[in-house]
Amino acid sequence: MKANILDRIAATKRAEVEALKQIMPLETLSELAHAVRRPPLSLKDSVRSRETAVIAEHKRRSPSKGEISPMSQVAEIAETYAVNGAAGMSVLTDTAYFGGSLADLALARRTAPWLPLLRKEFIVDEYQLYEARVYGADAVLLIAAMLDADSLGRLNDTAHAIGLQTLVELHSEKELEKLPSDADLVGVNNRDLTTFSTDISVASGLIGRIPADTVKIAESGIRNPSDLRRLKDAGFDGFLIGEALMSAPEPGIALQEFLAAGL
């Protein structure tokens, strides 16, 4: 049976992490992460403080769409998102499948020091959490579909121990069983990560099963302002948007249009 996309990505990540540990051992990276003095920003509070909260994403390409904005400059995009009202910025750091890097994360941090940054990555090992803290992230994505309940819980705990917030991503009702009770934000991904197909009704159908006091983020497949309005009416607090912004001629103007739809 042919492996699905998520399985291939997970295998790539595990191989990458093991190679990196040969260059910089886990213990050394952990010490560096614990030595970071910059107080992390709160993505959760930033989302809660806005009438309409968009976590705007930097994405050059994806397995489903191919090239989106291959020549985009992360510093320029970070500044654009910051001045146009983003609640936070999601920075894809996967190189093999999405064309991102940890250097992108560091550059976004230097460019917009007041903007909460989410490391958007396929996290399978605590090593990646320490990397996130060292390179300037305030929060990390944890994907329930990639992790068993014990692993998800351990990664969530480790992230919190080094000052990172967690956005735990779900796609199905069954994945709710894995959800740590102290996840800072809960995302519902409209994209099936085994096929990369999207269906915006996934988020609307799952939101009623998420604890009421949770900060809820709708992810993927939000193509236009009317999609955002529909999801906001369903009860979502924030919206992670990438392709619709990165493929727009003027990402800042596109961001303003999405924000206006939620008013």
Side-chain angles (χ1 to χ4, degrees):
M1 182 176 178
K2 192 174 182 179
N4 63 42
I5 298 172
L6 190 61
D7 289 341
R8 295 203 301 273
I9 292 174
T12 299
K13 290 293 123 182
R14 293 187 184 98
E16 287 178 358
V17 169
E18 290 308 309
L20 288 167
K21 287 178 180 178
Q22 301 306 308
I23 300 169
M24 179 177 289
L26 175 63
E27 294 77 10
T28 303
L29 184 62
S30 173
E31 289 174 3
L32 290 174
H34 282 96
V36 174
R37 294 187 177 183
R38 182 188 68 85
L41 305 172
S42 175
L43 180 60
K44 180 178 180 178
D45 288 349
S46 184
V47 169
R48 279 182 161 166
S49 69
R50 286 166 166 77
E51 176 66 25
T52 302
V54 171
I55 302 170
E57 187 162 89
H58 178 259
K59 179 191 292 186
R60 293 191 177 91
R61 66 173 182 264
S62 75
S64 60
K65 295 293 184 180
E67 301 293 343
I68 299 168
S69 185
M71 303 305 291
S72 64
Q73 300 299 311
V74 69
E76 179 182 339
I77 296 297
E79 184 173 6
T80 295
Y81 287 162
V83 300
N84 284 284
M89 180 177 177
S90 169
V91 182
L92 269 154
T93 61
D94 171 79
T95 301
Y97 298 91
F98 290 88
S101 68
L102 281 166
D104 287 337
L105 180 61
L107 187 53
R109 176 79 290 146
R110 290 197 297 271
T111 304
W114 61 91
L115 186 66
L117 297 183
L118 171 75
R119 183 185 185 188
K120 182 79 171 290
E121 182 56 271
F122 298 86
I123 291 177
V124 296
D125 191 286
E126 62 181 332
Y127 193 93
Q128 296 161 288
L129 303 178
Y130 297 128
E131 286 180 325
R133 183 70 170 117
V134 169
Y135 280 83
D138 302 294
V140 290
L141 181 74
L142 299 177
I143 303 172
M146 292 187 71
L147 303 162
D148 60 38
D150 288 343
S151 298
L152 179 55
R154 285 194 300 271
L155 290 170
N156 183 71
D157 290 345
T158 301
H160 287 163
I162 57 173
L164 296 171
Q165 292 187 339
T166 56
L167 170 57
V168 176
E169 178 182 292
L170 310 173
H171 179 72
S172 68
E173 186 172 335
K174 185 172 180 57
E175 290 170 5
L176 274 165
E177 299 171 5
K178 305 179 187 179
L179 181 64
S181 60
D182 60 346
D184 298 288
L185 308 99
V186 176
V188 179
N189 195 344
N190 293 301
R191 190 182 308 281
D192 183 337
L193 290 179
T194 63
T195 65
F196 271 67
S197 62
T198 56
D199 179 359
I200 199 171
S201 67
V202 170
S204 299
L206 195 55
I207 189 170
R209 302 283 296 169
I210 299 172
D213 60 348
T214 302
V215 176
K216 306 171 187 69
I217 308 296
E219 306 174 39
S220 299
I222 305 172
R223 298 182 176 88
N224 52 60
S226 63
D227 288 339
L228 183 149
R229 182 74 251 180
R230 173 182 166 188
L231 290 165
K232 185 171 184 179
D233 289 344
F236 281 95
D237 304 296
F239 314 89
L240 197 157
I241 304 174
E243 289 174 11
L245 298 178
M246 292 299 297
S247 62
E250 297 288 343
I253 294 174
L255 175 56
Q256 290 179 20
E257 291 171 350
F258 276 104
L259 292 173
L263 298 178

